[in-house]
Each structure stands twice: as C-alpha cells, then as structure tokens.
Amino acid sequence: MPGAAAAQRVPVEEQSVAVVADPVNLTELRREAEKAAKDLEEATKALEQRRAQIRDSEKELSAKLRQLQEAERAFARIRQPLSDLVGLLYQQPIGGDVTGFLSGESDADTLRAMTGVTQLVAERQRILDDTSRLQQERERLAAEAQELRAANLLSEAQMAAEIETLRARSQKIVKSLTQALVKLGVKIDKKGQPAGGCDPTRTSSLTEFPNGLIPQAYLCPLQQKGNELRGDAALAFISLNEAYKRRFGKPMCVTDSYRSLAEQQSVYYRRPGFAAVPGRSNHGLGLAVDLCGGVERFRSPEFNWVEANGKKYGWIHPKWAYVSPFEPWHWEYDPKLGSLL
Ligand SMILES: [Zn+2]
C-alpha cells in the first residue's frame, strides 16, 4: 500500500501533526484578521488623504473668490468717481467757454475737450464691462465651490460608510478568533481588550513599546493559566500546544512567558544567571516561553518533538540556547517565520 509506505517514512512526531488537522485553524483566522485590519488601516489612510485634498481645494477656491471680490471692490472704487465725472461732463457737454465754442474760437481746445470726454466714456464702459465679467466669474466660482462641497460631503460619507463596514468585519473576525480561543480553553479577559478579545493584529505597532512594557491590550493569554504572550506569538503557541496535546496526550508545561520589566528585574536579582539582563530578554517582548514537562531536558522525546514541529508554528529553539547559556527550556517565536505560515 503506497499510503502506508509513505506514512512509515514520516517520523512519528511529524505524523501526528500531519494526520490530525488543527480543529480550529488559528493561523487561517489570524491571517484573515490581519488582512481585515490592513484593509481598515488603508481605507482610513485613504480617507485622511482625501480630507487633506478637500481642505486644499476648498482653500484654493476661497482664495480665488476673495481675490475676485477684492478686484470687484477696486473697480467699484474707480467706477463711481468716473461715472460722476462722465455725468458731470454730459450736463456741461463742453469743457470750456460756451461763448468761445459758439464763436468758433479755440477750436483746438474744444476738440481736445471732446476727445477727452469720449475717452472717459469709453473708459467708464470698459470698467463696467470688466466689472460684470468679474461678477460672472465670481458667480461661476461660487457655484463651483458649492458643487465641490456637495461632492466632497458625499464622497466622505461613502468612505466613512466603507470604513464602518471594514471595522465591523475586522471586529467580527477578532470575535470569532476569540471564540475559537475560548473553545480551546483560553480564558480571555475582556477588560482592556479593545475588540473585546485577543486581537493578534495589534502587533505591527509593537516595536514602539520598550521591552517589558507592552500594554495589556497587546497581550493574549495562553491556555496555561497566568501566562501570556504577544498576540501573534500566543496564537501560534496555542496551535503548537494543540498539536503537542495530540502527540503526548497532555498540554505543554509553561514555567514562564511574557515578563514585564518589573518581573524581569525581580527574577534577575533573585536568581542571577537564570534570566537575561532586564530589558534585553525576548520574554519582555512577549515572544519567548520557558517550558517544562520534559521539554526542559535536552534530547528528551518532548524536546525533540518541539524542535521538529515548532517551526511549523513559528516557534524555534534559538541557536544560543543550545550552547551559551545552555537553556533547553527556552523557546522563541520568530514573527518573520510565523508571518509566512
Ligand atoms: Zn527563557
């Protein structure tokens, strides 16, 4: 039987994982949750960019409108005295002596005066034309601004609705993830968890928190009471623990996981040599566990199994822990490896 022959070649440790599928696919759920969170983040960013664009275009429009109004006012200031002057000239059509004009004297003066009047009338007309052109331009711009505002409001409302949908989807996935964890025996403390549970997507921004000072909302509990890890590491560990249970019939034994700075200091001073310098350990990043129940003994079946199978969940035994300091119990989650799963 080719199936049996193939199965024989697979080491027992590997086989148990390959044959029995993860009852709840946490990796799948985590990936979905990550995608939903990313979509939400991108949509929010797009809305912010759109808002900035809207602000800029509205600013530009109102600046143009202000310029036009100022030009109109300037024309009005010239127009009035010019109209008054033209009106005055019409009432006294000839600038100069009436008797002189009738007697035919000072022809040159009269002609000059009449040319002046014609020019003034033409100037007044030009200003009137300019003013009405400006008015039309201002009205057109005002209408454009109105339209722009309406269109902006509409697109903003549409984007906000889309974001709301994405947020709801993201929360739904985190909720089903949390339900899956509860089913696996994880006690989720809903307090301090923004989405009402364990949110593995809140890890990307984690680099901003110093070692040992990760806020509670970014940590997720393990099935092993009193232990917690960074969200992604916790999910991966829970999956690993499920596989371990199927192989050994018992859950993994955890002596230590996330350590706050205060706890790191306490361990460091109580048991020097047993813990890394406070602020430097991967325990403070929520990415390391110390295991018991057999794994702590180098080359025990438990150690060998975790060594062979941990990688599938992003968990590794770091090189240094094989030699210096020799810590067979210490295991770490590699986010890069985990994100490829
Ligand atoms: Zn350790």
Side-chain angles (χ1 to χ4, degrees):
M1 229 167 47
Q8 272 166 9
R9 281 201 305 273
V10 181
V12 179
E13 294 90 351
E14 304 247 353
Q15 203 186 340
S16 56
V17 175
V19 172
V20 187
D22 197 347
V24 191
N25 198 334
L26 292 180
T27 311
E28 192 71 26
L29 274 171
R30 189 207 66 198
R31 233 185 271 128
E32 258 184 68
E34 273 166 5
K35 195 185 169 301
K38 199 164 156 263
D39 289 348
L40 176 61
E41 198 187 308
E42 275 167 13
T44 310
K45 227 181 264 167
L47 178 63
E48 275 159 20
Q49 276 171 359
R50 179 91 185 93
R51 278 184 181 152
Q53 279 172 0
I54 289 172
R55 271 197 301 276
D56 287 350
S57 63
E58 284 189 349
K59 232 185 262 170
E60 216 176 287
L61 260 180
S62 60
K64 258 192 221 165
L65 273 170
R66 252 200 320 279
Q67 279 175 359
L68 279 175
Q69 276 166 344
E70 270 161 34
E72 271 185 72
R73 269 198 294 276
F75 272 115
R77 276 198 296 274
I78 310 170
R79 195 177 60 216
Q80 201 47 54
L82 201 59
S83 293
D84 294 348
L85 185 59
V86 172
L88 205 67
L89 285 168
Y90 272 120
Q91 283 160 27
Q92 296 177 347
I94 299 113
D97 194 340
V98 177
T99 42
F101 175 67
L102 290 173
S103 63
E105 283 172 21
S106 316
D107 272 359
D109 284 352
T110 307
L111 261 175
R112 216 174 291 127
M114 285 180 77
T115 310
V117 171
T118 313
Q119 273 173 357
L120 276 175
V121 170
E123 182 71 2
R124 189 188 64 156
Q125 192 52 48
R126 197 177 62 74
I127 284 175
L128 281 173
D129 289 348
D130 279 352
T131 306
S132 83
R133 188 177 52 75
L134 278 172
Q135 258 168 6
Q136 276 167 13
E137 179 69 1
R138 180 169 57 81
E139 276 158 23
R140 195 184 60 74
L141 270 179
E144 196 181 304
Q146 191 84 28
E147 248 169 66
L148 185 76
R149 243 163 249 151
N152 285 346
L153 277 174
L154 185 67
S155 85
E156 220 189 297
Q158 279 166 344
M159 287 179 99
E162 192 195 325
I163 284 173
E164 219 22 75
T165 311
L166 288 173
R167 195 193 312 282
R169 183 156 71 91
S170 180
Q171 280 178 354
K172 206 175 141 201
I173 294 169
V174 171
K175 205 175 156 197
S176 49
L177 187 59
T178 303
Q179 280 166 349
L181 290 172
V182 169
K183 247 185 233 163
L184 291 173
V186 180
K187 302 252 179 310
I188 304 274
D189 173 17
K190 286 186 177 162
K191 266 182 275 164
Q193 300 290 355
C198 175
D199 185 353
T201 61
R202 311 187 83 213
T203 51
S204 55
S205 53
L206 268 183
T207 40
E208 63 199 54
F209 301 115
N211 188 303
L213 297 172
I214 299 180
Q216 194 57 43
Y218 290 77
L219 297 165
C220 290
L222 304 181
Q223 288 139 310
Q224 289 77 4
K225 203 168 174 278
N227 286 286
E228 51 194 0
L229 290 171
R230 196 174 101 167
D232 49 350
L235 287 186
F237 188 83
I238 290 163
S239 294
L240 176 64
N241 185 57
E242 288 302 302
Y244 184 94
K245 267 191 338 206
R246 289 195 293 276
R247 170 65 183 83
F248 293 102
K250 57 176 184 185
M252 285 171 111
C253 169
V254 179
T255 54
D256 217 344
S257 46
Y258 170 71
R259 253 184 242 146
S260 70
L261 193 60
E263 285 161 350
Q264 288 178 51
Q265 276 163 348
S266 155
V267 175
Y268 184 72
Y269 293 114
R270 268 192 295 115
R271 302 170 72 195
F274 257 88
V277 177
R280 300 250 296 272
S281 152
N282 266 343
H283 286 285
L285 299 175
L287 297 175
V289 288
D290 290 343
L291 301 174
C292 36
V295 186
E296 78 282 13
R297 289 189 306 275
F298 191 59
R299 289 295 159 230
S300 66
E302 289 87 355
F303 179 97
N304 288 343
W305 185 91
V306 180
E307 188 188 47
N309 295 281
K311 290 189 279 285
K312 293 176 199 163
Y313 303 91
W315 281 90
I316 52 152
H317 190 53
K319 272 199 190 107
W320 61 260
Y322 282 94
V323 279
S324 172
F326 176 59
E327 288 188 6
W329 54 85
H330 180 94
W331 297 78
E332 291 184 355
Y333 177 70
D334 178 353
K336 262 190 226 134
L337 187 60
S339 66
L340 298 174
L341 300 171

